[in-house]
Amino acid sequence: MASPSTSSDSPSTTRGTTPGSTPGTLGVWFLGARGSLATTATIGLGALAARLTDETGCVTGHPDLDPRGLASWADIVVGGHDVDTVPLAKQAERLVAGGVVPGILAERVAGELEATEARLRPGVRAGEATDQRAVVEQLAGDIREFAAGVDRVVVIDVSSTEAPHDAGADAATWADLEAAWAAGRAPLSPSSTYACAALLAGAPYVAFTPSPGIDVPALLELAADRGLPYAGSDGKTGETLVKSALAPMFSTRALAVRSWTSINLLGGGDGSTLADPAARESKTGTKRSGLESMLGHDVPGPMHIDYVEDLGDWKTAWDHVRFDGFLGTRMTMQFTWEGCDSALAAPLVLDLARLTGRAVAAGETGALAALGFFFKSPLGSQEHRLAQQWDTLLAWSRECADRVSP
Amino acid sequence: MASPSTSSDSPSTTRGTTPGSTPGTLGVWFLGARGSLATTATIGLGALAARLTDETGCVTGHPDLDPRGLASWADIVVGGHDVDTVPLAKQAERLVAGGVVPGILAERVAGELEATEARLRPGVRAGEATDQRAVVEQLAGDIREFAAGVDRVVVIDVSSTEAPHDAGADAATWADLEAAWAAGRAPLSPSSTYACAALLAGAPYVAFTPSPGIDVPALLELAADRGLPYAGSDGKTGETLVKSALAPMFSTRALAVRSWTSINLLGGGDGSTLADPAARESKTGTKRSGLESMLGHDVPGPMHIDYVEDLGDWKTAWDHVRFDGFLGTRMTMQFTWEGCDSALAAPLVLDLARLTGRAVAAGETGALAALGFFFKSPLGSQEHRLAQQWDTLLAWSRECADRVSP
Amino acid sequence: MASPSTSSDSPSTTRGTTPGSTPGTLGVWFLGARGSLATTATIGLGALAARLTDETGCVTGHPDLDPRGLASWADIVVGGHDVDTVPLAKQAERLVAGGVVPGILAERVAGELEATEARLRPGVRAGEATDQRAVVEQLAGDIREFAAGVDRVVVIDVSSTEAPHDAGADAATWADLEAAWAAGRAPLSPSSTYACAALLAGAPYVAFTPSPGIDVPALLELAADRGLPYAGSDGKTGETLVKSALAPMFSTRALAVRSWTSINLLGGGDGSTLADPAARESKTGTKRSGLESMLGHDVPGPMHIDYVEDLGDWKTAWDHVRFDGFLGTRMTMQFTWEGCDSALAAPLVLDLARLTGRAVAAGETGALAALGFFFKSPLGSQEHRLAQQWDTLLAWSRECADRVSP
Amino acid sequence: MASPSTSSDSPSTTRGTTPGSTPGTLGVWFLGARGSLATTATIGLGALAARLTDETGCVTGHPDLDPRGLASWADIVVGGHDVDTVPLAKQAERLVAGGVVPGILAERVAGELEATEARLRPGVRAGEATDQRAVVEQLAGDIREFAAGVDRVVVIDVSSTEAPHDAGADAATWADLEAAWAAGRAPLSPSSTYACAALLAGAPYVAFTPSPGIDVPALLELAADRGLPYAGSDGKTGETLVKSALAPMFSTRALAVRSWTSINLLGGGDGSTLADPAARESKTGTKRSGLESMLGHDVPGPMHIDYVEDLGDWKTAWDHVRFDGFLGTRMTMQFTWEGCDSALAAPLVLDLARLTGRAVAAGETGALAALGFFFKSPLGSQEHRLAQQWDTLLAWSRECADRVSP
Ligand SMILES: NC(=O)c1ccc[n+]([C@@H]2O[C@H](COP(=O)([O-])OP(=O)(O)OC[C@H]3O[C@@H](n4cnc5c(N)ncnc54)[C@H](O)[C@@H]3O)[C@@H](O)[C@H]2O)c1
Ligand SMILES: NC(=O)c1ccc[n+]([C@@H]2O[C@H](COP(=O)([O-])OP(=O)(O)OC[C@H]3O[C@@H](n4cnc5c(N)ncnc54)[C@H](O)[C@@H]3O)[C@@H](O)[C@H]2O)c1
Ligand SMILES: NC(=O)c1ccc[n+]([C@@H]2O[C@H](COP(=O)([O-])OP(=O)(O)OC[C@H]3O[C@@H](n4cnc5c(N)ncnc54)[C@H](O)[C@@H]3O)[C@@H](O)[C@H]2O)c1
Ligand SMILES: NC(=O)c1ccc[n+]([C@@H]2O[C@H](COP(=O)([O-])OP(=O)(O)OC[C@H]3O[C@@H](n4cnc5c(N)ncnc54)[C@H](O)[C@@H]3O)[C@@H](O)[C@H]2O)c1
Ligand code: NA
Ligand code: NA
């Protein structure tokens, strides 16, 4: 990561990476680095690098996806922010006990966890910031320090989902934001604070959560100004994933979906966060958006996310679809999905890091719409159909690969 | 249907339709015209023509599919063969009692059913044929007679599934077949007898069942010689349909499917036919083929088709998928599909009639690979993924439309 | 119904039925007589009386249950209150359209429906009563009028579920209630108003809903004083029924249930009432009570009742049970129940009418605990296990039969 | 085990245990001692004795079951026969890898496993026996040797399910059997050979499999003659267990079950044995028997047991029930059961050992019908309903307890 802009006073157009450069070390900076997902990704990365596990679940390992120019697993380094202080090793133990990570793997990568531990920095909580500009600078400083040791950094938000937050007129433009800060106001939610810090540190930002993050006018302006790409939002790993495969079936077969009920049971840190109605609202929002777009009309039906402590990181989703066929015949389909959320999401955040890192090298800027395949609420795209997203991802991947490894 | 070849002695290249002609009356000739599926299609066609029902379930009614040059519902006429003699009106009653067709609709189209009744002709059973050439001529004669009253005929096999049948060396070429007939042998199964008759009568042939039908070297030669298109095989309406939407999800997400169990419960005529292990073998064959191709490797897991009399035309399918994710985590997905088989299939056979009729007008010949969207075991194509089949269908549909309605 | 007390001023001990009397005409007075459940019961009763249907779903038709002294189907007459005015015939049409009642049956019992229509009287809504004592008298008068034409009346609440309601100190005793009325207050909810009227008219009261009804100290005093039996509450027809069969399995096998999730989707009138959170609270209350008692400990897990308009009277319930076995192994069971609520409940309310009618003849008073088999929240009993409830019902049934038909 | 009869020549009436004696060491002799089930039971017993686990899954630990006179966990010793030679420690590893047994537990009881290893003896395979009488004597000798070190022995068959086997006229009476042996014939299947050996060694026999075992006239005569109790057959742990809880619900609610479909997927040793159609026939036989008896009529519907290697000891069962309600309404219920077979069965075989040991002490002889709660095909009883079996078990348990600990 050659020359991150060191001044946060105003967006500038410098960008440290040259299209066509060969990949070197890639730094992944996790927001929420001590969470289930980040810890699973960190352990998994260690296991991949040491060839202790195969690439199951890794989209960038798919034979149809052009790998030229992607950082190799062994060249990826993890750091990050978290507000919690529980050691990564403890989190790893919890994941082993919960059946998410095999005990033997956790043992074998204990050294890498320790090394990562040393690269974690304290994060910032909602409401804590008295001087938000100073906080942003502090966070950006952490990222820059990390960037100094690697060739390129990608910042990925895998922290707890925030409640919906409206930054309002104070974040309408970058100038407004600077004015608000100057007046002692703190309009940004924590996720946006981090997004701002990432951009100021010259790093692309990926939102794996539905939190506001970069999706605030002032920050989009900053990203454009810095020529940095970004992607999001909210990883598509469970029943929304299945929906994006199934809904087009109903639609192309001209079957009339009358109701679609979605029940999600999960425990773990994410489940406990989503037990809070405000956070849940952010989530059900991104979950709903796709169905209507894929079916071409509004579809009634309850959608619940329920905290069931006992399930831990294992999510059980039950969906019930009522549809009409020819001559008004009433039919139903239902499915139950029993997946390990962290295991589903962890390889995807590693994929996003590799793909976004290469995208920077390929000179991509703005919303990376071709990454919609990974997200419930794709930034820069209205396409929710999984198969079409896949085709788009493959084509874009080839283009980027061509540019960085001609 | 201008000038169907009247000689069956040898294949010829004459074909009665001119590319670019405008569509007129379309004749659909059902093999198995008194079955649940054909009767539902016949009632439904009447209802569509009279605007008593909407196009739910009709793919050719989809807003994205180019409709130029498709026969309108009111311009389609039904006839067919069946070995059974139970009146269509009685079958309609059975379908009403089984909840497949609303009673009110059946009443309103009683006249059309009666008119169709008059156009049905006796079929031929396995083992009955003493002089198979004569039988073929007889069947072809029935089709020609029907063709005389319409502009174009499409023959669609919706009769009971046959056991696998190997026509062998006797049907290796058209010459071999004629020689076998001359020698008093009867190498063709009934479905192939019909397929032969269709071709000799100048009509394209669509296999909605997994029976051998046209898929015999001598008949493929005949079709090529006559320049006739054909399509098949085995309508994709239930769990295989769902599979073709879901399997690509596992594959593109690099999730490792370890087993896929498929249970199909159904009653009705189709269920009772499939209670026979030999017929079932034809069916599980076409059902299996796709999964391996979509996942890229063989997938173990039982596949059952069970006759449960009480279910009638309502099929319940349960599928259980065991897959591994990142770091070997074990996950499962299961779904239950409760659909009315005849209601799912009936609009598709009408779609196939319209699309194949237009294809003839557009000058298409040979296997219509672009119709793979409709089939479990698509002739002329290795593509099983539903979304890709859809894109192919749309593109081909535009091409055909351009050619017939420039 | 010989001599119902005509004065409502104070409870008295007169009761019009003599133990041991032979059964004659039985009057069933439905509160909510125009609802789906009451209409289905009325149609079904007509069909049973005319032998157009069999006793499927009727517990009193079970070969193990002693039938001596039960009113025959042909000797049962229906009347009732409702606040709605839509004709029964219209409701019947709606039930036919919804697939709850076969069209042919509804036609054949049209005469009975018309006769019942003439016996329906306007009910009372919450908040309407200005002089609650007068309202009670009016309602009691309706019931007495109906009672004059039959030998015995049973009042059954099948009206919309009310929100939880606390009648408070004003209904602590019968004297308190009379004082409150005298002071111009109206402490009773509608269901309790009806229960009061039933008792004053000398009729036993059965609560098929979770509404407060008779479960108010002043009314229990009145029932005791009049020597009248009563039963309730909240019919057990769907997932709670299944729970009462399944939970004892986990308990007797010493399996540790860690969470039990219950999702209920339903449309129809009942579903739309329960879309109101207050009414839903009454329902989830009675639904929850049993599980803890059967398993011996509190069990976490969400319980939802969701209105899905499209489902009509067809309820779909999905339950997910997480339990631990030996050595802490984690296991799950899930079930999906797809039942027609009105068809499940209708025969039960007829059963309750017959059994309660006979109980009066047998001299039973107070809470009929042996009817717990029918209810989610059995009055007079803590037993929720279905099998034990069944054994109790059979034994009690024999006792009553012995007393009325020695 | 005081004085087991040492002669096998003819049945005698001596029995080594005195009613009313206090319990001492109990020996459990497993047939199939190296299998998943036996190994899980052995590990679990060690864990219970050392208080490393709680009594979850142990019926004899249920607070309602009278524990007086039951051997304590610490006083139970395991030995047994197996034809395989893979060390218990290796089996334990396999169970740990499969998630059946926690690794930490297996480590902690390694010593007990080693001690048990020393008490295992080679078993006998079908078709191996040339001199069946000698084989029986050899097996009986092994059991007697084991018995010498404990106060009482219970023999439990947990070996692979055999194909149905008809011992025929050669085993009609004990005399016939001796004659057949004398004539050099070998009429008994291995399980019956073991059962014979158990009886000759003075030990009660419990059949946890559906193999013929003791259910042969000559052996029942021998058991009667020796005054020994026995119990079986085929442990009820999965979908049959659920059926025995659910079927009575349909029956007592007068709902008409039209079809009941049962699908069982399992891997492991048991699954691989049952992949053989002959063994499967034994199993589906015992699984079917209960349903008809509980519902009072034959119920159509397929029943499959399928081997899905990847599932290991984890069985997934899917059942689909079609039933009719009032007025012929069509309803369905379906459930999915995901249980660990060995973890479900292991505590039950320990329970059976304790209960059968106490039964001997209490002077019980013949078929222990009150143990029907544990079995798919209860010997000595026609009762399949779980709740009634539970009540019977509790009552009998109290009686036995009273007799041994007055
Ligand atoms: N796992 C999936 O399948 C999946 C899919 C889509 C989205 N997500 C999202 O990913 C996020 C992480 O999921 P998880 O299961 O790891 O949850 P988790 O609760 O285990 O981890 C969240 C971490 O974020 C930290 N955190 C909270 N507030 C923070 C702040 N202001 N700054 C820095 N760190 C903060 C917490 O301390 C915790 O360590 C959630 O928002 C979840 O909704 C996950
Ligand atoms: N409905 C679906 O969803 C679906 C999907 C794929 C394939 N199919 C296939 O479509 C076919 C029809 O299904 P259905 O439900 O209508 O079955 P059905 O049993 O109701 O009808 C089959 C009809 O074919 C007739 N028939 C049998 N042998 C014949 C012969 N030799 N010649 C002429 N007619 C003959 C029978 O008399 C009967 O009327 C079956 O082969 C089925 O496998 C149906
Ligand atoms: N059907 C079942 O399986 C089942 C099971 C348990 C309980 N229940 C209860 O039975 C009741 C009836 O169910 P439904 O499906 O028929 O509902 P419904 O909405 O179709 O009928 C309710 C009827 O009650 C009438 N009503 C409302 N307020 C009234 C009042 N104050 N006085 C008189 N009538 C009044 C309505 O006008 C309507 O006709 C509901 O409370 C439901 O919760 C039903
Ligand atoms: N686990 C359950 O829930 C359950 C329920 C009911 C019945 N069962 C029955 O219990 C039995 C054991 O199940 P499992 O899962 O442990 O199977 P498994 O295959 O793991 O073990 C069977 C053992 O029996 C041994 N064996 C085979 N033939 C033998 C013989 N002739 N003599 C001595 N040993 C022999 C095998 O070597 C093996 O070690 C099976 O018959 C199964 O059907 C199990
Ligand atoms: Na999580
Ligand atoms: Na069919």
Side-chain angles (χ1 to χ4, degrees), chain A residues 26-388:
Chain A
L26 172 64
V28 185
W29 187 261
F30 285 134
L31 311 172
R34 300 183 184 283
S36 293
L37 167 42
T39 309
T40 306
T42 305
I43 294 171
L45 180 63
L48 285 164
R51 300 184 182 277
L52 301 170
T53 196
D54 64 22
E55 290 184 322
T56 298
C58 299
V59 170
T60 48
H62 195 287
D64 293 353
L65 190 141
D66 198 321
R68 289 171 299 150
L70 293 176
S72 74
W73 300 120
D75 287 337
I76 305 180
V77 177
V78 174
H81 284 122
D82 202 303
V83 292
D84 204 339
T85 55
V86 50
L88 280 182
K90 263 251 140 356
Q91 284 286 49
E93 271 174 38
R94 214 183 46 77
L95 291 166
V96 169
V100 178
V101 167
I104 183 77
L105 269 193
E107 276 171 41
R108 301 280 293 272
V109 302
E112 278 81 355
L113 279 190
E114 222 178 285
T116 302
E117 182 72 50
R119 289 187 293 261
L120 302 193
R121 297 289 173 271
V124 57
R125 265 182 224 281
E128 274 180 4
T130 46
D131 179 349
Q132 196 165 63
R133 160 183 249 139
V135 167
V136 166
E137 263 312 311
Q138 163 74 35
L139 298 170
D142 294 336
I143 299 171
R144 277 187 206 107
E145 186 195 353
F146 175 66
V150 292
D151 289 328
R152 182 171 295 118
V153 168
V154 176
V155 172
I156 307 192
D157 183 11
V158 290
S159 66
S160 311
T161 296
E162 295 175 6
H165 174 92
D166 186 359
D170 273 353
T173 65
W174 178 253
D176 291 333
L177 184 56
E178 294 216 296
W181 284 345
R185 294 198 295 279
L188 301 181
S189 74
S191 65
S192 297
T193 313
Y194 288 115
C196 185
L199 297 172
L200 292 179
Y205 175 89
V206 177
F208 204 77
T209 77
S211 304
I214 201 170
D215 205 6
V216 161
L219 300 183
L220 297 175
E221 181 191 339
L222 177 63
D225 196 79
R226 299 281 163 119
L228 284 168
Y230 51 89
S233 64
D234 204 6
K236 178 159 83 170
T237 54
E239 62 112 351
T240 313
L241 172 68
V242 180
K243 268 181 184 161
S244 69
L246 276 182
M249 175 188 80
F250 292 106
S251 156
T252 58
R253 281 297 175 96
L255 299 166
V257 175
R258 297 298 182 208
S259 66
W260 193 309
T261 296
S262 301
I263 309 295
N264 289 273
L265 314 178
L266 79 165
D270 192 21
S272 111
T273 299
L274 296 173
D276 169 26
R280 202 159 57 218
E281 200 190 317
S282 301
K283 200 76 172 191
T284 54
T286 56
K287 285 171 78 72
R288 275 219 172 279
S289 54
L291 201 53
E292 189 174 334
S293 128
M294 288 183 286
L295 294 175
H297 57 91
D298 184 44
V299 180
M303 167 173 297
H304 296 294
I305 303 180
D306 289 303
Y307 178 59
V308 180
E309 188 185 358
D310 163 72
L311 296 180
D313 269 308
W314 290 84
K315 185 203 275 163
T316 297
W318 177 72
D319 274 42
H320 180 267
V321 187
R322 253 280 301 121
F323 62 100
D324 284 348
F326 196 44
L327 310 181
T329 39
R330 298 168 63 86
M331 318 195 197
T332 57
M333 177 175 180
Q334 54 183 286
F335 69 81
T336 302
W337 169 268
E338 290 171 290
C340 176
D341 256 13
S342 294
L344 287 161
L348 301 185
V349 300
L350 297 177
D351 289 328
L352 285 165
R354 296 176 94 189
L355 291 165
T356 305
R358 184 178 66 179
V360 171
E364 294 283 303
T365 63
L368 298 176
L371 292 177
F373 178 72
F374 294 92
F375 297 112
K376 291 198 191 76
S377 184
L379 288 171
S381 162
Q382 295 304 318
E383 179 62 83
H384 287 273
R385 297 173 300 167
L386 190 70
Q388 279 72 11

Side-chain angles (χ1 to χ4, degrees), chain C residues 154-157 195 199 203-209 211-215 220 223 228-235 352-353 355-356 359 365-375 377-380 396:
Chain C
V154 175
V155 172
I156 307 193
D157 182 12
L199 297 172
Y205 174 89
V206 177
F208 204 78
T209 76
S211 305
I214 201 172
D215 205 6
L220 296 175
L228 283 167
Y230 52 87
S233 66
D234 204 7
L352 285 165
L355 291 166
T356 305
T365 63
L368 298 176
L371 292 177
F373 179 72
F374 294 92
F375 298 113
S377 183
L379 289 172
W396 175 76

Side-chain angles (χ1 to χ4, degrees), chain C residues 35-37 82 124 158-161 194 208 235 237 269-270 283 341:
Chain C
S36 294
L37 168 42
D82 203 302
V124 58
V158 290
S159 65
S160 310
T161 296
Y194 289 115
F208 204 78
T237 55
D270 192 21
K283 202 74 172 191
D341 255 13

